[in-house]
């Protein structure tokens, strides 16, 4: 039976100094996904003209929440990346890459194509991909898996918001 540690390190002082640049790279990669899509596909007049559900948060809230979530995602992926190279680690990181690609796809579908229904399909797939990623992370590093829980919760909320926008406005 393979002995897989349930944490990358006991504390941050045990992390080899050469791994800190890779942490920065993982976090920056995740944050850049949000920044690039956010800059290229901003809400604009189309979005603000939509009928909004009563529980729609203020626009200013999205950037700080997503930034925190992207940082947590980067740290979680880095923790998995720091483990010894195994097929399980590779599979987990592939699942992570898939969910990140779906994350990046939602913004251009919603704000770029103005496709509320198409974006709803993307975000439902994203939520499922996050669940699968958590399932792959958990046996390797429980902390990394738990770090994705707030992300999943926010995406489920965003999917509910997306579904409400679709119900109020239609538009595939």
């Amino acid at each position: 039976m393979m002995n897989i540690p349930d944490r990358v390190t006991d504390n941050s002082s045990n992390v080899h100094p050469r791994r800190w640049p890779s942490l920065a790279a993982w976090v920056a990669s995740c944050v850049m996904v949000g920044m690039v899509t956010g800059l290229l596909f901003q809400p604009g007049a189309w979005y603000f003209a939509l009928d909004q559900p009563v529980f729609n948060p203020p626009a200013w809230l999205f950037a700080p929440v997503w930034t925190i979530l992207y940082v947590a995602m980067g740290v979680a992926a880095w923790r998995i990346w720091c483990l010894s190279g195994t097929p399980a680690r590779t599979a987990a990181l592939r699942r992570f890459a898939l969910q990140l690609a779906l994350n990046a796809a939602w913004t251009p579908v919603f704000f770029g194509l103005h496709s509320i229904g198409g974006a709803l399909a993307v975000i439902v797939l994203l939520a499922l991909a996050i669940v699968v990623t958590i399932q792959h992370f958990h046996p390797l590093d429980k902390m990394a898996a738990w770090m994705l829980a707030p992300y999943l919760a926010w995406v489920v909320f965003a999917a509910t918001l997306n579904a409400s926008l679709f119900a109020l406005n239609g538009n595939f």
Side-chain angles (χ1 to χ4, degrees):
M1 180 173 207
M2 184 170 46
N3 184 14
I4 300 173
D6 89 289
R7 286 188 284 171
V8 176
T9 62
D10 290 333
N11 61 49
S12 60
S13 64
N14 290 340
V15 176
H16 195 282
R18 288 189 205 152
R19 290 199 176 158
W20 290 115
S22 62
L23 172 60
W26 277 102
V27 169
S29 296
C30 291
V31 170
M32 289 303 293
V33 165
M35 283 182 56
V36 169
T37 59
L39 289 173
L40 292 176
F41 302 96
Q42 296 186 11
W46 168 81
Y47 174 73
F48 294 111
L50 294 174
D51 291 331
Q52 302 286 332
V54 295
F55 62 90
N56 192 22
W60 63 263
L61 184 64
F62 288 92
V65 168
W66 274 112
T67 301
I68 292 165
L69 295 173
Y70 284 126
V71 169
M73 290 163 55
V75 173
W78 171 77
R79 290 177 63 95
I80 298 300
W81 180 83
C82 284
L83 298 172
S84 299
T86 65
R89 181 192 90 158
T90 301
L93 290 174
R94 284 187 180 146
R95 295 330 182 266
F96 183 84
L98 173 63
Q99 69 77 29
L100 193 59
L102 287 166
N103 179 303
W106 184 89
T107 303
V109 171
F110 189 88
F111 293 118
L113 299 176
H114 300 174
S115 177
I116 300 171
L120 182 56
V122 171
I123 204 164
V124 167
L125 290 173
L126 172 58
L128 293 171
I130 296 167
V131 169
V132 170
T133 301
I134 290 170
Q135 289 172 334
H136 278 77
F137 276 24
H138 192 264
L140 301 174
D141 183 330
K142 290 174 182 47
M143 177 62 74
W146 278 107
M147 291 179 79
L148 297 180
Y151 172 44
L152 176 60
W154 183 258
V155 166
V156 168
F157 170 74
T160 304
L161 181 59
N162 193 152
S164 296
L165 287 165
F166 183 76
L168 292 169
N169 300 279
N171 189 355
F172 264 93

